[in-house]
Amino acid sequence: MFRHYCSYSKEAAAIKIAVYGKGRIGKSTISANISAALSLNGNRILQVGCDPKHDSTRLLLGGRVPETVLDYIRGVAPEQRSLDDIVFCGFGNVACVEAGGPEPGVGCAGRGIITTLGLLESLGLGRIDFDYEIYDVLGDVVCGGFAVPIRKEYAETIYLVTSGEFMAIYAANNILRGIKNFGDSPERVAGIIYNSRNLKDEDERIRAFAEAVKLPVVARIPRSDLFASAEKEGKTVIEAYPDSQEAEIFREIATDISGIRPAGGGRLHGALPLDDETLEAVVLGVRKKDIHKKRKHQKSEPAKATTQNASPTPSSALCPFRPGEKSTDVSDKKTDASVNSRTMYPLHGCAFAGAACVTAQIMDAYTILHGPKSCAHMMWGIIENSLLRMNRLYDFSTDFDITKRTGTTNMDDEDFIFGGEAKLRAEIGKAIDNGWKHIFIITACPPGIIGDDTSLVAEEMMKQHPGTTIEPIPADGNIDGDFSQGYIRAFGIIARYIDRSGGVRKENSVNIIGEKSLATNEEYDFGSIKYLLDAIGISVNTRFITRTDIASIRNLDNACMNLPAHGDFTSAMICEIVAGNSSLPFLNMPFPTGFGETSAWLTKIAEFFGKTQKAEELIESEEKIYRKKISGLKVSTKGKKLLVSTYSRNIDWIIELACDLGMEIVRIGLMHSPEKEPLRTRYEDLPVRDDYDPEIRREEIGLFSPDLVLLDRPAPGQGEYVRYDTIPYSAGFGFQAGLFWAERWSRVMKLPPAEEWRYDGEDVC
């Protein structure tokens, strides 16, 4: 087969040639005949077929179709692979390789090209002494995979095969664009090989195109029955009809190739593609101004308005949500966009992890993470780290073992080529065999890129297993958005489980909507809210979605009211989604922090349930505790100046604490936020400044000399003689929540404004 090549020593680098052109334009026939002609001149030739049809080398192998590299990879373990199994000797001792590809409609053939060339290199093909390497490549779409042979390490020389048909020329022009985009060498195109179809004005079209892109027409191959006759015999015309005029054309092309010297030897040309209007004008003879006029007319036609084009803005979390209205359509990826997905801000995390962190909270559902194992490990790490911190800081222990309720399809490079649907079916089958009735599928980047149809797989498996519910959540890694994007999308799909048919109403009960399940203090905060609700005789029906189950989600509408946990953009989107799937009213306040917010929050809930007296008694009792602690702290805080620099627009708990502690607020600087919301406060006459960047903050620290600066995140270098503390992402909930931070501020302000070592040798008293 191929072993006799192994005796060749590597003397000089082979001239590497890529033959590109539109599908079914005759590239394979032309490539095989070129290889045959070159071999008869005593050259050692390698031909690599980079078309999924894997028929590039058939005419060199007597009509046989060899095993493709990709089929070989699927069946042979890495340690057992050998060049001798995938490189075949054809006519003229041409070494023949076929990349192959996945079944039509699945996987990624372009990725297959990358894998094929990588395997050939790792097995040592590059150490064999070839004179010429011919890469026969599909050129309809020059995507990343099919463009690999254009890269200089594979092919320094490129021939374009085209006929006079407009779409064939259009494809050739697109290939020139691909070559130009690489930009690693100014001159790489050898010319055009014109494969005639005997069309009217065909010669003129090719001439005009060649002149416009400044490329020579290396050869004109006539339409001839000899090609069909040779193909029936499984041969090239060089082998079957060596004395024919057609064979002579390929010998002339071989002569042209022998004069190519890629490394600065001339004969090659730069890629000068035409824009679409110029291409039409050159090839079709249409005047550019007529094309421009036609396109301008098309653009001027008004677009039909549709509700799908609208991008709804979610209601503020401080406004009542209207139950029963149409929810955000999570099937429309434009309408469930998170803040950073709607703007040009960097994405925080990926949608895959966001969606998985939601479904992982459903204790009787199994989540299949469709993607590489590394993505699954990332997601497991996020959740487990959160639980470890929660346990360490709040002594919270749980049997929340994420690995018991999740699995991964463990996609690898082979699956990126052939598709991951087979592995997905297998993982679903395994989950069903283990007794899971509710299954979620979350997609990472690779299945989204190659187009795995998870919905179709889910439908097929549900038909085979009645009584099983399988829900795909198309997160597609970070292709569509960030962590919040996946979080929102998962909520939208799971909200469809809510049963609005009217079950048994649970009196004096509420649902909690949109807790931050990864927050370290989440369970502690839930305990604080539960304490307040229990005190006035209110129970929690469903936590949507935290440590819950499918039955609780279905029975969400059996409660009397929905309580939003938070008031940020993501929480507002979640509440909009629930409002479209629930008939219950929403409280128009998120969970409260501090005495004032908690009093107002509890009073509203009590009024709804007729529990006003109990609420008043609780507020009176808690106020005594609050005022006593404030009085003790005020000794060290009264008259102190406070500067607040924050992205958050909901900081009333800070303002309330500062006022109760007798502090002077010299500035509230609102940092630029993608949410672009105004400050939400019940206080008046505050020294607020928008677009508060670090430079302005630095100046005002010098101007006001604050005793304490509060920041959302640490900002080193803002001043050596200023006391800093951070604003927590979640300050806790309830009457006394803010007191923890007040005590901390009091301690900070007792410290010197700079580290004492700075005063070494000086009197600091």
Side-chain angles (χ1 to χ4, degrees):
M1 293 171 67
F2 177 63
R3 292 186 179 90
H4 73 280
Y5 274 103
C6 297
S7 62
Y8 292 148
S9 60
K10 192 72 173 175
E11 297 174 356
I15 293 177
K16 301 176 181 180
I17 299 168
V19 180
Y20 272 86
K22 182 181 178 297
R24 312 309 302 177
I25 202 63
K27 293 185 311 304
S28 296
T29 299
I30 290 170
S31 297
N33 276 281
I34 290 173
S35 293
L38 286 169
S39 72
L40 294 181
N41 291 338
N43 297 302
R44 294 182 293 272
I45 310 298
L46 167 69
Q47 180 166 323
V48 181
C50 300
D51 190 318
K53 297 193 304 295
H54 56 269
D55 60 355
S56 176
T57 60
R58 186 177 68 86
L59 300 182
L60 294 167
L61 295 169
R64 292 183 297 111
V65 177
E67 181 178 20
T68 68
V69 174
L70 297 183
D71 285 343
Y72 180 71
I73 288 174
R74 299 184 80 174
V76 179
E79 65 274 9
Q80 297 175 340
R81 293 169 185 168
S82 168
L83 275 180
D84 195 53
D85 295 331
I86 51 177
V87 184
F88 301 84
C89 268
F91 174 80
N93 285 333
V94 175
C96 301
V97 178
E98 288 288 353
E103 290 294 320
V106 297
C108 177
R111 178 65 193 175
I113 302 303
I114 297 172
T115 300
T116 293
L117 297 179
L119 178 65
L120 293 173
E121 184 175 345
S122 68
L123 293 179
L125 189 66
R127 295 191 294 271
I128 306 301
D129 187 18
F130 294 108
D131 296 302
Y132 296 96
E133 296 176 8
I134 309 292
Y135 296 88
D136 173 16
V137 195
L138 178 67
D140 289 272
V141 180
V142 187
C143 71
F146 287 106
V148 166
I150 292 178
R151 296 178 185 173
K152 196 170 183 181
E153 64 265 32
Y154 288 110
E156 310 98 326
T157 304
I158 299 160
Y159 281 93
L160 302 179
V161 178
T162 183
S163 68
E165 296 166 301
F166 179 74
M167 292 312 298
I169 297 174
Y170 184 87
N173 191 62
N174 266 354
I175 295 162
L176 288 175
R177 288 178 179 171
I179 297 167
K180 183 178 180 181
N181 286 339
F182 274 95
D184 54 1
S185 177
E187 297 179 344
R188 298 181 56 198
V189 186
I192 295 171
I193 297 176
Y194 166 28
N195 194 20
S196 175
R197 303 283 193 175
N198 287 345
L199 302 174
K200 182 181 179 182
D201 299 327
E202 188 176 21
D203 291 350
E204 178 57 29
R205 286 184 176 185
I206 293 295
R207 183 199 61 76
F209 174 67
E211 288 182 358
V213 296
K214 295 181 171 53
L215 292 176
V217 178
V218 174
R220 179 185 184 278
I221 301 173
R223 192 171 185 85
S224 169
D225 293 338
L226 283 187
F227 290 103
S229 299
E231 287 181 11
K232 286 181 181 179
E233 300 178 37
K235 299 178 179 179
T236 62
V237 292
I238 290 287
E239 180 183 5
Y241 306 103
D243 298 326
S244 65
Q245 181 181 355
E246 288 79 359
E248 181 60 28
I249 293 173
F250 289 106
R251 285 192 286 268
E252 291 173 359
I253 296 175
T255 301
D256 183 79
I257 291 173
S258 65
I260 293 173
R261 293 293 178 268
R267 290 287 314 283
L268 296 180
H269 307 269
L272 301 173
L274 308 177
D275 61 70
D276 288 348
E277 288 186 5
T278 302
L279 182 66
E280 288 186 38
V282 168
V283 176
L284 300 179
V286 181
R287 293 184 302 174
K288 288 184 69 174
K289 67 177 183 179
D290 292 337
I291 298 171
H292 180 71
K293 183 177 180 182
K294 177 182 178 182
R295 291 181 179 172
K296 184 177 180 181
H297 173 71
Q298 291 172 342
K299 290 179 181 179
S300 66
E301 293 180 358
K304 295 181 179 179
T306 65
T307 55
Q308 290 181 344
N309 289 334
S311 183
T313 301
S315 304
S316 165
L318 296 180
C319 296
F321 295 97
R322 294 181 288 274
E325 291 197 346
K326 187 178 185 301
S327 66
T328 298
D329 182 5
V330 295
S331 65
D332 182 352
K333 296 181 180 181
K334 294 179 181 178
T335 62
D336 70 343
S338 63
V339 173
N340 289 331
S341 298
R342 289 169 181 249
T343 66
M344 294 301 292
Y345 279 76
L347 299 182
H348 296 173
C350 73
F352 169 83
C357 286
V358 175
T359 61
Q361 298 293 324
I362 305 177
M363 309 302 283
D364 59 347
Y366 191 78
T367 298
I368 295 175
L369 305 170
H370 186 33
K373 184 177 286 186
S374 58
C375 294
H377 280 299
M378 173 198 69
M379 194 281 301
W380 289 329
I382 290 172
I383 295 178
E384 289 174 349
N385 286 340
S386 174
L387 292 171
L388 288 171
R389 292 195 306 271
M390 194 181 299
N391 184 36
R392 185 177 69 252
L393 295 175
Y394 297 97
D395 195 26
F396 173 78
S397 59
T398 178
D399 60 353
F400 191 86
D401 188 348
I402 184 65
T403 59
K404 291 179 180 177
R405 291 176 288 101
T406 58
T408 175
T409 52
N410 191 19
M411 291 181 70
D412 54 24
D413 192 62
E414 181 178 313
D415 302 310
F416 303 158
I417 299 166
F418 296 101
E421 293 179 9
K423 279 191 173 178
L424 178 58
R425 289 185 181 91
E427 187 64 27
I428 293 173
K430 188 192 306 180
I432 293 172
D433 290 342
N434 289 333
W436 294 99
K437 295 297 183 182
H438 304 287
I439 300 171
F440 293 98
I441 304 167
I442 301 176
T443 52
C445 295
I449 292 171
I450 66 176
D452 276 358
D453 193 339
T454 55
S455 295
L456 180 61
V457 172
E459 290 174 8
E460 291 175 352
M461 296 299 287
M462 283 192 289
K463 287 179 181 178
Q464 296 174 24
H465 302 276
T468 301
T469 302
I470 305 172
E471 288 282 2
I473 300 178
D476 294 353
N478 57 14
I479 297 174
D480 287 327
D482 60 358
F483 185 96
S484 295
Q485 180 90 39
Y487 204 75
I488 294 167
R489 186 161 299 160
F491 268 90
I493 289 174
I494 297 169
R496 299 170 185 168
Y497 282 73
I498 298 171
D499 183 3
R500 296 179 57 184
S501 61
V504 178
R505 182 73 67 190
K506 293 177 64 176
E507 298 298 329
N508 299 322
S509 66
V510 295
N511 301 311
I512 295 178
I513 309 299
E515 293 173 86
K516 306 293 187 185
S517 58
L518 290 182
T520 302
N521 56 349
E522 176 252 332
E523 281 301 315
Y524 180 85
D525 288 345
F526 171 70
S528 300
I529 293 297
K530 192 172 185 301
Y531 160 76
L532 296 173
L533 295 173
D534 286 345
I536 61 173
I538 305 298
S539 64
V540 175
N541 174 55
T542 298
R543 297 172 72 182
F544 189 79
I545 303 172
T546 303
R547 293 178 177 81
T548 187
D549 54 37
I550 296 294
S552 295
I553 294 171
R554 292 195 194 282
N555 295 331
L556 182 140
D557 244 23
N558 293 356
C560 303
M561 174 186 278
N562 291 324
L563 304 182
H566 298 276
D568 59 3
F569 182 93
T570 299
S571 299
M573 291 288 290
I574 291 169
C575 288
E576 289 279 13
I577 289 168
V578 175
N581 292 276
S582 169
S583 61
L584 302 183
F586 281 76
L587 185 70
N588 63 349
M589 290 179 65
F591 286 171
T593 299
F595 190 85
E597 284 186 5
T598 305
S599 297
W601 182 84
L602 195 64
T603 298
K604 285 192 174 187
I605 295 175
E607 289 174 353
F608 181 86
F609 286 100
K611 307 279 186 178
T612 301
Q613 184 176 349
K614 286 189 175 182
E616 289 175 350
E617 292 172 356
L618 180 61
I619 292 170
E620 183 180 353
S621 173
E622 292 287 339
E623 185 171 15
K624 292 178 182 178
I625 299 171
Y626 178 79
R627 296 301 171 193
K628 183 178 179 179
K629 290 184 177 179
I630 284 290
S631 179
L633 294 170
K634 203 170 183 178
V635 175
S636 59
T637 59
K638 186 176 181 180
K640 301 294 185 181
K641 291 187 285 187
L642 176 68
L643 186 149
V644 181
S645 176
T646 177
Y647 290 96
S648 174
R649 268 50 174 172
N650 189 18
I651 57 170
D652 262 14
W653 70 273
I654 294 177
I655 299 170
E656 178 185 52
L657 267 183
C659 293
D660 288 347
L661 292 167
M663 300 179 74
E664 178 190 357
I665 301 175
V666 295
R667 172 67 71 209
I668 296 176
L670 300 179
M671 305 289 285
H672 180 69
S673 168
E675 297 189 30
K676 298 180 180 178
E677 293 184 26
L679 179 66
R680 301 192 296 267
T681 180
R682 64 182 185 274
Y683 293 88
E684 298 179 355
D685 301 324
L686 295 171
V688 178
R689 183 167 181 174
D690 290 318
D691 295 324
Y692 201 65
D693 63 36
E695 186 58 38
I696 295 175
R697 180 172 63 215
R698 187 179 294 109
E699 292 175 1
E700 293 205 334
I701 286 174
L703 176 65
F704 295 121
S705 299
D707 297 285
L708 179 66
V709 175
L710 298 181
L711 303 167
D712 284 297
R713 62 195 67 176
Q718 290 296 317
E720 297 179 354
Y721 306 103
V722 180
R723 301 175 185 88
Y724 290 97
D725 201 2
T726 54
I727 299 171
Y729 177 73
S730 177
F733 302 126
F735 290 105
Q736 316 301 334
L739 289 176
F740 170 85
W741 301 100
E743 291 170 354
R744 178 164 157 156
W745 299 346
S746 177
R747 291 194 300 270
V748 170
M749 284 187 290
K750 291 177 182 178
L751 300 173
E755 297 90 337
E756 289 189 11
W757 61 266
R758 295 181 183 275
Y759 302 98
D760 190 22
E762 300 180 21
D763 184 1
V764 295
C765 297

